[in-house]
mmCIF file of all heavy atoms in Angstrom:
data_model
loop_
_atom_site.group_PDB
_atom_site.id
_atom_site.type_symbol
_atom_site.label_atom_id
_atom_site.label_comp_id
_atom_site.label_asym_id
_atom_site.label_seq_id
_atom_site.Cartn_x
_atom_site.Cartn_y
_atom_site.Cartn_z
ATOM 1 N N VAL A 32 15.554 -1.389 -6.573
ATOM 2 C CA VAL A 32 16.676 -0.854 -7.359
ATOM 3 C C VAL A 32 17.339 0.302 -6.617
ATOM 4 O O VAL A 32 18.499 0.606 -6.834
ATOM 5 C CB VAL A 32 16.251 -0.395 -8.776
ATOM 6 C CG1 VAL A 32 15.841 -1.583 -9.626
ATOM 7 C CG2 VAL A 32 15.150 0.648 -8.727
ATOM 8 N N ASN A 33 16.580 0.950 -5.728
ATOM 9 C CA ASN A 33 17.132 2.078 -4.962
ATOM 10 C C ASN A 33 17.767 1.549 -3.673
ATOM 11 O O ASN A 33 17.250 1.757 -2.563
ATOM 12 C CB ASN A 33 16.028 3.094 -4.683
ATOM 13 C CG ASN A 33 15.622 3.816 -5.952
ATOM 14 O OD1 ASN A 33 16.373 4.625 -6.464
ATOM 15 N ND2 ASN A 33 14.444 3.487 -6.495
ATOM 16 N N THR A 34 18.894 0.845 -3.846
ATOM 17 C CA THR A 34 19.470 0.113 -2.717
ATOM 18 C C THR A 34 20.020 1.037 -1.630
ATOM 19 O O THR A 34 19.933 0.724 -0.447
ATOM 20 C CB THR A 34 20.591 -0.837 -3.195
ATOM 21 O OG1 THR A 34 21.427 -0.105 -4.084
ATOM 22 C CG2 THR A 34 20.029 -2.026 -3.930
ATOM 23 N N ARG A 35 20.579 2.204 -2.032
ATOM 24 C CA ARG A 35 21.127 3.118 -1.012
ATOM 25 C C ARG A 35 20.008 3.629 -0.109
ATOM 26 O O ARG A 35 20.148 3.709 1.108
ATOM 27 C CB ARG A 35 21.859 4.292 -1.715
ATOM 28 C CG ARG A 35 22.546 5.230 -0.737
ATOM 29 C CD ARG A 35 23.714 4.516 -0.053
ATOM 30 N NE ARG A 35 24.274 5.227 1.101
ATOM 31 C CZ ARG A 35 23.825 5.091 2.359
ATOM 32 N NH1 ARG A 35 22.787 4.313 2.646
ATOM 33 N NH2 ARG A 35 24.409 5.731 3.345
ATOM 34 N N GLN A 36 18.878 4.018 -0.745
ATOM 35 C CA GLN A 36 17.748 4.510 0.054
ATOM 36 C C GLN A 36 17.105 3.364 0.847
ATOM 37 O O GLN A 36 16.681 3.566 1.985
ATOM 38 C CB GLN A 36 16.703 5.184 -0.862
ATOM 39 C CG GLN A 36 17.217 6.463 -1.516
ATOM 40 C CD GLN A 36 17.645 7.515 -0.489
ATOM 41 O OE1 GLN A 36 17.028 7.667 0.563
ATOM 42 N NE2 GLN A 36 18.710 8.246 -0.788
ATOM 43 N N ALA A 37 17.069 2.173 0.254
ATOM 44 C CA ALA A 37 16.497 1.025 0.987
ATOM 45 C C ALA A 37 17.305 0.781 2.260
ATOM 46 O O ALA A 37 16.756 0.502 3.330
ATOM 47 C CB ALA A 37 16.490 -0.217 0.104
ATOM 48 N N GLN A 38 18.637 0.924 2.138
ATOM 49 C CA GLN A 38 19.493 0.725 3.319
ATOM 50 C C GLN A 38 19.203 1.793 4.379
ATOM 51 O O GLN A 38 19.042 1.483 5.562
ATOM 52 C CB GLN A 38 20.950 0.811 2.871
ATOM 53 C CG GLN A 38 21.949 0.579 3.988
ATOM 54 C CD GLN A 38 23.383 0.867 3.531
ATOM 55 O OE1 GLN A 38 23.754 0.570 2.393
ATOM 56 N NE2 GLN A 38 24.174 1.447 4.406
ATOM 57 N N ALA A 39 19.108 3.049 3.952
ATOM 58 C CA ALA A 39 18.869 4.138 4.919
ATOM 59 C C ALA A 39 17.497 3.986 5.590
ATOM 60 O O ALA A 39 17.374 4.111 6.809
ATOM 61 C CB ALA A 39 18.968 5.492 4.215
ATOM 62 N N TRP A 40 16.473 3.684 4.782
ATOM 63 C CA TRP A 40 15.107 3.675 5.326
ATOM 64 C C TRP A 40 14.778 2.375 6.055
ATOM 65 O O TRP A 40 13.780 2.286 6.765
ATOM 66 C CB TRP A 40 14.093 3.989 4.225
ATOM 67 C CG TRP A 40 14.192 5.432 3.798
ATOM 68 C CD1 TRP A 40 14.849 5.918 2.703
ATOM 69 C CD2 TRP A 40 13.673 6.586 4.480
ATOM 70 N NE1 TRP A 40 14.766 7.295 2.664
ATOM 71 C CE2 TRP A 40 14.042 7.725 3.736
ATOM 72 C CE3 TRP A 40 12.924 6.760 5.650
ATOM 73 C CZ2 TRP A 40 13.696 9.026 4.124
ATOM 74 C CZ3 TRP A 40 12.580 8.049 6.035
ATOM 75 C CH2 TRP A 40 12.961 9.161 5.279
ATOM 76 N N ASN A 41 15.640 1.350 5.859
ATOM 77 C CA ASN A 41 15.499 0.136 6.683
ATOM 78 C C ASN A 41 16.507 0.134 7.825
ATOM 79 O O ASN A 41 16.520 -0.781 8.641
ATOM 80 C CB ASN A 41 15.655 -1.121 5.819
ATOM 81 C CG ASN A 41 14.394 -1.363 5.010
ATOM 82 O OD1 ASN A 41 13.366 -1.758 5.544
ATOM 83 N ND2 ASN A 41 14.465 -1.069 3.712
ATOM 84 N N GLY A 42 17.355 1.155 7.854
ATOM 85 C CA GLY A 42 18.348 1.283 8.907
ATOM 86 C C GLY A 42 18.014 2.440 9.827
ATOM 87 O O GLY A 42 16.844 2.676 10.161
#
Side-chain angles (χ1 to χ4, degrees):
V32 292
N33 289 289
T34 46
R35 184 68 192 88
Q36 294 301 323
Q38 182 188 322
W40 290 99
N41 284 288

